[in-house]
Amino acid sequence: MRIVVDLTKCQGYAQCAFLAPDVFTIQGDEALSYDPHPERTQLKKIRRAAAACPVQAIRLEPPDALDGALHPDPRHGTNEDNGGTFKKTGRIVIVGASIAGLRAAERLREEGFTGSLTLVGEEPHEPYDRPPLSKQVLAGSAPLEDTSLPRLRDIGATWRLGVAATSLDLATKELHLADGSRIGFDKLLIATGLRARPWPNTEEAALSGVLTLRTREDSATLRQLLADHPRRVLVIGAGFIGCEVASVCRELGLPVTVAEAGPAPLVAALGSAIGVIAGELQIENGVDLRCGVRVTALQGDATGQLRRAVLSDGTALEVDVAVAALGSIRNVEWLADSGLACGVWGVACDAGCRAFDANGLVTDDVFVAGDIARAPQPMYGYQYLAVEHWGNAISQAEVAAHNMVSQETERWPHLTVPKFWSVQFGIEIKSVGVPSAADEVAIVQGSVAEKRFLAVYGYKGRVVAAVAFNQNKWLDFYEPLIEQAAHFPPQFHHIDESSDARPVPAGFKPAASPTQDATVVVTGHDPNERRARLTNPAAGETPSRRPAETGARTKERSP
């Protein structure tokens, strides 16, 4: 039995912790942790917890979950609907045995696809959950093997694991693999995701104790290194992975230094105004935080073990472990000669997840989903965004799968508002929207001093994102305001209003060509209902005027 909690939905109400306390626990005020592979004796309590969850965030794979799973869901019609011949006899290949790949495969079967389905993955494992690798697994509270993702249905697929895709021939519709084999397809889904950016000096990166954190193997190695009680851990980079590693180190009582080249942690994701608060959180929990500082050298002893780090501030640290948390690289090299529009920024696709070729023409048989996809986002001026978060991978994969087996008139656009979460030092940080699109931010609820607040981000007078520190129950209210291009700063009263809600500069680096202007409003809830409607400035329907009306209408339901 396996469970997984969709933490993009979880709002920390804690009913699950009351009903199944041996499985679910709350850290701090709102941060949920759980045992993904509990004992069968807990099944009754887990089912009650799942039923009681107000936002239905708990997914459970009971022992009988895989029975009869190749039977299509009757809600999506029979195999004779929507191009029934392809659904019966077509060949679909998914490149990337990831959460996006797995969810797409499950969705294909749910949609009635009973043809040939192949999943190709470079790693030897079937799909597993990555967020716990820098949290529960690293802290030792969850076994590594329990990160396997639960199966919602048997996908009846051929698995090609431990072998990488090396090239793609669109003319012959063949995928070439590293072992020399080829797989033919009728339709292809690219979901090859990301890999961690390594320490750039290859000799220093080869020192024992220097590593990145992305895979199961990375997490197992780092967990063992931390269990050996190093003198000090150095975290290079204060993005989400770096901050979570630092948090686990302090939880384990280990000395840790974080070296961040920028002015504060999480600046790229949240801006310096909120990043400074994240920095205060680290310092309050005993982290040696060095901002505006780079690591200039990593030095080892005669055995090749890391022993010392030299920093740009002129200091040297005695360290045994260094985690390079320098961001990620999209896995696109294998597509270099494919003729698709791809690069370091990902694989370009339309809002229906269909890949573009190098000429900018949309393809009919190649789709993209997950971290590698770069798709237009109507809510942000049709900018092409690559969203590297768990919830986006799932929603985009399901849209891609639906569109792969649907006729043109029945395809869906991927219009899900981006969301992410992180747990650091007992604080749950959640976001909805795209904070980096903002030029201003206002803390509208809660208390910064207590590290319990909600910040709303704005761009040119409209709401583009909201970020909560232990206040995530209110995020559902702000998501429709983002979709409706509502007025910024918010013009309604809140529960637990901040004493100073004045907008301040968000603190992001200026974009090279900012195009975040609101051009649409989005309606609908389920994927088949989601639609974008262009605003009409010529008719006086500007984003800065229309949301004021929206805000007035929503006063009664404001938090």
Side-chain angles (χ1 to χ4, degrees):
M1 178 175 64
R2 286 175 291 181
I3 60 173
V4 65
V5 178
D6 184 345
L7 292 174
T8 60
K9 293 182 179 178
C10 175
Q11 296 181 358
Y13 285 102
Q15 277 89 338
C16 58
F18 285 110
L19 293 169
D22 293 332
V23 179
F24 304 96
T25 58
I26 297 291
Q27 299 177 334
D29 292 337
E30 296 188 3
L32 177 70
S33 63
Y34 62 96
D35 180 357
H37 197 168
E39 297 292 332
R40 285 183 55 83
T41 55
Q42 297 291 322
L43 179 58
K44 186 175 181 179
K45 292 182 178 179
I46 294 168
R47 284 176 170 166
R48 287 178 176 173
C53 177
V55 293
Q56 294 296 285
I58 301 171
R59 296 186 180 185
L60 170 66
E61 177 193 272
D64 58 353
L66 305 183
D67 293 346
L70 278 182
H71 294 258
D73 190 325
R75 292 174 300 173
H76 299 283
T78 68
N79 289 338
E80 299 307 319
D81 299 332
N82 303 326
T85 301
F86 175 76
K87 283 189 175 183
K88 287 181 177 179
T89 63
R91 300 170 301 164
I92 292 180
V93 174
I94 298 174
V95 192
S98 57
I99 189 168
L102 176 60
R103 293 295 179 247
E106 291 176 333
R107 185 73 194 202
L108 285 167
R109 295 307 192 195
E110 183 180 344
E111 295 270 350
F113 178 73
T114 58
S116 169
L117 182 58
T118 303
L119 274 83
V120 177
E122 183 174 6
E123 293 187 54
H125 316 289
E126 291 192 9
Y128 59 90
D129 205 19
R130 294 189 190 275
L133 299 182
S134 59
K135 303 177 183 72
Q136 298 100 312
V137 172
L138 201 57
S141 60
L144 189 67
E145 58 271 17
D146 285 351
T147 57
S148 296
L149 288 164
R151 300 295 179 81
L152 305 182
R153 56 173 56 233
D154 182 6
I155 58 175
T158 299
W159 292 87
R160 298 295 305 275
L161 299 175
V163 55
T166 56
S167 63
L168 175 63
D169 190 331
L170 291 178
T172 62
K173 288 194 172 183
E174 285 186 325
L175 180 71
H176 297 199
L177 304 184
D179 62 3
S181 61
R182 300 183 181 188
I183 304 175
F185 62 86
D186 297 312
K187 293 187 179 181
L188 180 79
L189 176 64
I190 299 171
T192 45
L194 312 169
R195 64 183 184 275
R197 186 179 300 278
W199 182 245
N201 185 308
T202 54
E203 291 185 3
E204 296 175 1
L207 291 171
S208 179
V210 179
L211 72 165
T212 57
L213 180 55
R214 175 70 184 175
T215 67
R216 269 183 166 179
E217 289 76 12
D218 294 339
S219 186
T221 301
L222 182 54
R223 171 62 187 151
Q224 184 57 55
L225 291 173
L226 298 184
D228 291 339
H229 302 288
R231 294 171 298 169
R232 179 170 291 275
V233 177
L234 173 64
V235 178
I236 310 171
F240 283 106
I241 294 295
C243 292
E244 290 170 1
V245 171
S247 175
V248 170
C249 287
R250 294 307 301 140
E251 182 181 339
L252 298 174
L254 299 174
V256 58
T257 296
V258 175
E260 165 58 41
L266 305 177
V267 167
L270 304 182
S272 60
I274 303 301
V276 167
I277 301 171
E280 294 172 355
L281 181 64
Q282 292 199 21
I283 294 170
E284 291 169 2
N285 283 273
V287 175
D288 174 25
L289 177 62
R290 313 275 187 101
C291 293
V293 173
R294 298 178 181 274
V295 176
T296 58
L298 298 174
Q299 300 173 349
D301 60 19
T303 68
Q305 169 64 48
L306 173 68
R307 294 300 182 195
R308 194 165 182 261
V310 181
L311 308 184
S312 63
D313 62 4
T315 61
L317 300 173
E318 301 300 316
V319 298
D320 299 321
V321 177
V323 181
L326 302 173
S328 54
I329 299 172
R330 292 178 177 86
N331 293 316
V332 297
E333 292 84 355
W334 65 283
L335 294 168
D337 298 320
S338 65
L340 295 178
C342 63
V344 295
W345 35 265
V347 181
C349 63
D350 69 2
C353 304
R354 297 179 299 177
F356 286 116
D357 68 14
N359 298 308
L361 297 173
V362 71
T363 60
D364 290 324
D365 303 320
V366 181
F367 293 73
V368 195
D371 296 344
I372 198 171
R374 194 171 190 88
Q377 177 47 270
M379 285 176 280
Y380 296 91
Y382 288 93
Q383 287 190 97
Y384 277 78
L385 300 179
V387 180
E388 302 171 9
H389 298 302
W390 192 88
N392 182 77
I394 292 175
S395 61
Q396 195 169 41
E398 292 180 342
V399 169
H402 170 82
N403 290 345
M404 292 178 88
V405 294
S406 297
Q407 295 177 348
E408 183 78 24
T409 57
E410 298 175 348
R411 287 175 176 166
W412 300 340
H414 178 243
L415 294 173
T416 303
V417 180
K419 301 175 184 177
F420 71 81
W421 80 90
S422 176
V423 177
Q424 305 168 20
F425 309 100
I427 302 293
E428 185 166 48
I429 302 172
K430 277 195 172 182
S431 169
V432 59
V434 181
S436 60
D439 53 11
E440 290 185 304
V441 62
I443 296 174
V444 298
Q445 289 178 257
S447 166
V448 171
E450 298 175 8
K451 302 299 183 291
R452 178 190 54 78
F453 64 87
L454 188 138
V456 180
Y457 288 74
Y459 180 77
K460 291 188 176 180
R462 70 160 181 128
V463 175
V464 295
V467 170
F469 278 49
N470 273 358
Q471 288 278 55
N472 68 79
K473 294 179 179 68
W474 305 123
L475 285 181
D476 280 352
F477 172 77
Y478 289 94
E479 183 175 348
L481 299 187
I482 296 167
E483 295 173 345
Q484 297 158 10
H487 181 78
F488 177 86
Q491 296 181 337
F492 43 75
H493 292 294
H494 310 265
I495 292 174
D496 192 22
E497 286 195 3
S498 171
S499 59
D500 185 2
R502 293 175 300 174
V504 298
F508 292 104
K509 289 184 179 179
S513 55
T515 57
Q516 296 97 333
D517 290 0
T519 52
V520 304
V521 294
V522 176
T523 59
H525 178 69
D526 293 333
N528 62 322
E529 299 172 341
R530 301 284 283 174
R531 294 293 182 270
R533 179 177 62 80
L534 286 166
T535 58
N536 184 4
E541 189 183 358
T542 64
S544 60
R545 292 177 61 183
R546 182 178 169 80
E549 300 171 357
T550 303
R553 289 195 301 270
T554 58
K555 278 185 180 181
E556 293 184 356
R557 55 184 290 255
S558 62

